[in-house]
Amino acid sequence: MLDRALSLDELLCFALYSANNAMGRLYRPILAQHGLTYPQYLVLVALWQRDGQKVNDLGAALTLESNTLTPLLKRMEAAELVQRRRNPEDERSVIVSLTAKGRGLQQEAAGISRCILAAAGDDVADLIDLRSKIQQLATRLNASD
Amino acid sequence: MLDRALSLDELLCFALYSANNAMGRLYRPILAQHGLTYPQYLVLVALWQRDGQKVNDLGAALTLESNTLTPLLKRMEAAELVQRRRNPEDERSVIVSLTAKGRGLQQEAAGISRCILAAAGDDVADLIDLRSKIQQLATRLNASD
DNA sequence: TGCGATTTAATCGTGTGCGATTTATTTTCA
DNA sequence: TGAAAATAAATCGCACACGATTAAATCGCA
């Protein structure tokens, strides 16, 4: 089979990389107003949904491991957004819980995703469909190891 | 308007973040065999397409700036993948060119994207459509600043 | 012509992601 | 029971991304 010269525009991986970077650039200044980074915001979303998760639970939700999460959570603890304490029932694990401040940000942050959606496009149904297709892609990619 | 509790699964940004991380995890071990990282691979793709680009040209292609590209290109230069030299016609700019080694990797790397596509899905037409929609999203996001 | 504005890379600091390893705790099963 | 296996987090090193700033070269225009 003849291989044409590869172009950036043809790479699905580059489309993802580029769109994700663009999303980050959009979120960064908004989140910075609340003293948050992008993955820190995602941790908060996960905890707003269910407070008091183990590091591994958060890792499963975000597809990250302790080598990424531990320092990130320590910074969030230093910023008084979360509390980290050993699980009394199994001292190997660490429970991450929201502080009042971390919980309080939920109200402040409520408008953020709306603001991002507005930048992403005007047809909400299209965006939901795209999100679903990207989720399926991520699932397939994660299954290939 | 009533705000429901936000869930990770509902966030387009998280779908992108997660899929991009998954793609990176898939590429990393393959690219590592060639001594490459993911963004380094993207720089090579851009140079295979057109050799001898200025740092700014690469930045425009990848949507990155010199604060990211300069150290990355220096590592690629140290790995003898590219050559960096000041543009004689305008000493402000730097021309990045492929070395023989960098050019040679094009053949070796030819199978990579096929290998990734296989992990991404079996319906090529679907993947091309998804890529196109993600590209459009990136374009819209980049336009909102 | 010359000097301020612009353009282009480079530099610096912070915060991820992740491979590889380590440490502490719990589980398993001989 | 008790030592090996398994599990959970932490640690370490490297390579991005990017905001902010700096330095050098070129441009523009009075």
Side-chain angles (χ1 to χ4, degrees), chain A residues 5-105:
Chain A
L6 209 55
S7 123
L8 279 180
D9 290 343
E10 293 175 312
L11 292 176
L12 175 60
C13 76
F14 176 64
L16 270 180
Y17 167 86
S18 183
N20 184 55
N21 282 349
M23 191 67 92
R25 281 190 294 270
L26 206 57
Y27 264 105
R28 190 181 305 271
I30 301 172
L31 292 174
Q33 293 174 4
H34 305 279
L36 291 173
T37 66
Y38 191 53
Q40 287 174 16
Y41 168 70
L42 295 177
V43 167
L44 286 185
V45 172
L47 290 175
W48 291 333
Q49 197 176 348
R50 182 162 67 86
D51 197 0
Q53 298 192 51
K54 290 182 282 189
V55 173
N56 263 2
D57 295 337
L58 290 172
L62 303 177
T63 332
L64 293 174
E65 295 180 38
S66 65
N67 50 6
T68 299
L69 280 174
T70 297
L72 188 158
L73 293 170
K74 282 187 174 179
R75 281 185 289 269
M76 292 183 76
E77 188 175 42
E80 297 179 1
L81 296 166
V82 300
Q83 188 188 20
R84 293 158 64 248
R85 56 179 195 284
R86 288 279 161 190
N87 183 355
E89 298 179 10
D90 183 343
E91 295 272 340
R92 287 174 301 185
S93 55
V94 165
I95 307 279
V96 183
S97 316
L98 290 166
T99 61
K101 183 177 172 188
R103 227 178 346 264
L105 276 182

Side-chain angles (χ1 to χ4, degrees), chain B residues 49-82:
Chain B
Q49 196 176 348
R50 182 162 67 85
D51 197 0
Q53 298 192 51
K54 289 182 283 188
V55 173
N56 262 2
D57 296 337
L58 290 173
L62 303 178
T63 331
L64 293 174
E65 295 179 38
S66 65
N67 51 4
T68 298
L69 280 173
T70 296
L72 189 158
L73 293 170
K74 282 187 173 179
R75 281 186 288 270
M76 293 183 75
E77 188 175 42
E80 297 179 1
L81 295 167
V82 300

Side-chain angles (χ1 to χ4, degrees), chain B residues 37-54:
Chain B
T37 66
Y38 191 52
Q40 286 175 17
Y41 168 70
L42 296 177
V43 166
L44 285 185
V45 172
L47 291 175
W48 291 332
Q49 196 176 348
R50 182 162 67 85
D51 197 0
Q53 298 192 51
K54 289 182 283 188

Side-chain angles (χ1 to χ4, degrees), chain B:
Chain B
M1 196 238 253
L2 203 62
D3 279 313
R4 287 172 305 93
L6 209 55
S7 126
L8 279 181
D9 291 343
E10 293 175 313
L11 291 176
L12 174 59
C13 76
F14 175 64
L16 269 179
Y17 168 86
S18 184
N20 184 55
N21 282 349
M23 190 68 92
R25 281 190 295 270
L26 206 57
Y27 264 106
R28 189 182 306 272
I30 302 172
L31 292 174
Q33 293 174 4
H34 305 279
L36 291 173
T37 66
Y38 191 52
Q40 286 175 17
Y41 168 70
L42 296 177
V43 166
L44 285 185
V45 172
L47 291 175
W48 291 332
Q49 196 176 348
R50 182 162 67 85
D51 197 0
Q53 298 192 51
K54 289 182 283 188
V55 173
N56 262 2
D57 296 337
L58 290 173
L62 303 178
T63 331
L64 293 174
E65 295 179 38
S66 65
N67 51 4
T68 298
L69 280 173
T70 296
L72 189 158
L73 293 170
K74 282 187 173 179
R75 281 186 288 270
M76 293 183 75
E77 188 175 42
E80 297 179 1
L81 295 167
V82 300
Q83 189 189 17
R84 293 159 63 248
R85 56 177 195 285
R86 286 280 160 189
N87 183 355
E89 296 178 10
D90 183 342
E91 296 272 340
R92 286 174 302 185
S93 55
V94 166
I95 307 279
V96 183
S97 316
L98 291 164
T99 60
K101 183 178 172 189
R103 229 179 342 267
L105 275 184
Q106 186 171 11
Q107 311 309 321
E108 281 190 59
I112 294 182
S113 60
R114 260 197 308 282
C115 164
I116 299 292
L117 277 185
D122 41 18
D123 188 330
V124 176
D126 271 3
L127 290 177
I128 289 178
D129 182 61
L130 178 56
R131 187 195 66 197
S132 162
K133 286 191 166 60
I134 296 172
Q135 283 169 340
Q136 289 167 34
L137 173 63
T139 302
R140 279 196 302 278
L141 293 177
N142 280 320
S144 330
D145 44 338

